[in-house]
């Protein structure tokens, strides 16, 4: 029996408020039948968060997530949004360390670690993204990179917060490129992550932490990925902008 799968949608820098509301309505309506079967979440752009929250309502089956956040609670940090403010806007979780943050905005493992700590202390669930570039994979450095990202960003997390973590393994070369890791390639890394969690923490804790795959997940490849023993769902970018595709992926997750 598999863990209850997660399907999270990352809307990235897309959608005006009205478009986000429409997408949220469609996802909310289509998700009703998956209540208690799949953990569902959506991460709209900041300007749509409150509107999407109002569409989803309190304790909705669809969890509101932010795409990023800043580790200091308040102060002279022009242009940033802190985790307490995201919570105040209705977010229940946040994505941290997405590869676009790491590579386009030069976020370091140290900054990501601070963000993880601050978000968890605020009471938000954290989806921590990890992944290697194509060059690192071709150089045989995949596990080295992932292990470094893992150890520097999350192993300081105290036991009470550990189960509020979700990990998303997202090979950089598979994000938004239409190239997906094969189920075997993804499973290999997921198993290594699970093993590391088990060694560093406890088997019991490692079993409870969901490890999602991200990188061009679509309705056509979701099943073969979700069938892998250590793949606990998906972080979906492009396909989450189309409610039909996103709901199809959720439906596939509900049957495993
Ligand atoms: C993502 O944004 O995390 C992602 C995996 O994007 P895509 O599904 O478009 O590759």
């Amino acid at each position: 029996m598999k863990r209850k799968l997660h399907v999270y949608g990352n809307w990235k820098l897309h959608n005006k408020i009205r478009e986000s509301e429409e997408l949220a309505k469609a996802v909310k309506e289509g998700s009703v039948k998956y209540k208690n079967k799949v953990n569902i979440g959506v991460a709209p752009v900041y300007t749509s968060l409150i509107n999407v929250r109002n569409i989803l309502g309190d304790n909705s089956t669809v969890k509101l997530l932010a795409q990023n956040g800043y580790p200091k609670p308040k102060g002279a940090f022009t242009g940033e949004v802190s985790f307490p403010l995201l919570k105040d806007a209705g977010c229940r979780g946040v994505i941290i360390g997405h590869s676009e943050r790491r590579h386009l905005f030069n976020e370091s493992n140290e900054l990501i670690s601070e963000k993880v700590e601050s978000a968890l202390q605020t009471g938000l669930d954290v989806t921590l993204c990890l992944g290697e570039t194509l060059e690192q994979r071709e150089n045989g450095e995949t596990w080295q990179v992932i292990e470094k990202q893992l150890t520097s960003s999350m192993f300081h997390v105290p036991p009470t917060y550990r189960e509020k973590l979700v990990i998303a393994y997202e090979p950089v070369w598979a994000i938004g490129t239409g190239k997906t890791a094969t189920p075997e390639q993804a499973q290999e890394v997921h198993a290594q992550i699970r093993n590391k969690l088990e060694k560093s923490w406890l088997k019991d804790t490692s079993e409870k932490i969901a490890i999602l795959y991200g990188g061009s997940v679509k309705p056509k490849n979701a099943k073969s990925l979700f069938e892998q023993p250590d793949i606990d769902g998906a972080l979906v970018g492009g396909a989450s902008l189309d409610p039909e595709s996103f709901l199809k992926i959720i439906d596939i997750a509900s049957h495993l």
Side-chain angles (χ1 to χ4, degrees):
M1 181 69 185
K2 282 209 75 150
R3 295 168 195 90
K4 185 172 155 191
L5 297 192
H6 289 59
V7 179
Y8 284 175
N10 174 14
W11 296 356
K12 308 197 191 195
L13 182 47
H14 291 288
N15 289 344
K16 292 181 178 169
I17 292 171
R18 191 67 60 223
E19 293 160 334
S20 297
E21 286 177 336
E22 275 163 24
L23 181 52
K25 258 185 220 146
V27 172
K28 182 185 176 185
E29 281 163 21
S31 294
V32 174
K33 61 179 175 193
Y34 303 110
K35 190 173 169 66
N36 303 325
K37 292 197 181 138
V38 182
N39 292 306
I40 304 167
V42 292
V45 70
Y46 285 141
T47 49
S48 292
L49 280 174
I50 292 171
N51 298 65
V52 170
R53 189 233 156 261
N54 290 340
I55 300 275
L56 298 178
D58 290 326
N59 302 317
S60 156
T61 305
V62 183
K63 190 161 151 182
L64 183 67
L65 310 172
Q67 296 176 17
N68 183 30
Y70 192 67
K72 302 283 186 266
K74 58 173 150 178
F77 303 106
T78 303
E80 294 296 340
V81 180
S82 68
F83 298 113
L85 295 186
L86 293 170
K87 190 157 185 235
D88 185 47
C91 291
R92 286 153 66 192
V94 59
I95 298 170
I96 295 181
H98 190 279
S99 73
E100 285 148 21
R101 301 296 321 163
R102 292 177 187 267
H103 296 285
L104 301 176
F105 301 99
N106 297 319
E107 287 196 8
S108 64
N109 281 325
E110 291 67 34
L111 176 63
I112 290 165
S113 163
E114 264 190 80
K115 290 185 179 198
V116 169
E117 200 168 337
S118 172
L120 289 170
Q121 279 173 0
T122 304
L124 295 167
D125 292 352
V126 166
T127 300
L128 174 69
C129 301
L130 317 164
E132 81 290 359
T133 62
L134 185 58
E135 194 187 356
Q136 289 164 334
R137 174 162 280 267
E138 285 173 350
N139 289 340
E141 295 164 1
T142 300
W143 178 241
Q144 211 180 308
V145 171
I146 304 293
E147 191 178 27
K148 177 99 194 345
Q149 292 172 342
L150 262 179
T151 32
S152 59
S153 310
M154 63 178 275
F155 281 122
H156 58 288
V157 170
T160 44
Y161 291 125
R162 287 177 192 163
E163 287 166 24
K164 299 199 57 102
L165 281 167
V166 169
I167 294 173
Y169 167 59
E170 302 205 304
V172 179
W173 47 272
I175 298 180
T177 57
K179 285 187 202 157
T180 325
T182 63
E184 295 72 27
Q185 279 174 322
Q187 166 57 27
E188 187 185 3
V189 177
H190 282 232
Q192 285 172 306
I193 295 173
R194 181 97 56 213
N195 191 31
K196 177 80 189 169
L197 293 175
E198 191 177 316
K199 282 203 195 121
S200 309
W201 293 343
L202 290 172
K203 185 166 174 60
D204 197 37
T205 311
S206 84
E207 298 269 324
K208 286 186 187 136
I209 295 182
I211 309 173
L212 317 188
Y213 168 79
S216 301
V217 175
K218 313 280 176 209
K220 67 175 187 310
N221 56 25
K223 185 167 184 282
S224 57
L225 288 160
F226 294 165
E227 280 170 348
Q228 299 299 313
D230 289 295
I231 298 186
D232 305 320
L235 179 56
V236 184
S240 71
L241 295 170
D242 169 29
E244 208 181 303
S245 300
F246 190 58
L247 289 165
K248 182 79 194 129
I249 296 170
I250 293 169
D251 186 65
I252 294 166
S254 77
H255 288 100
L256 283 140

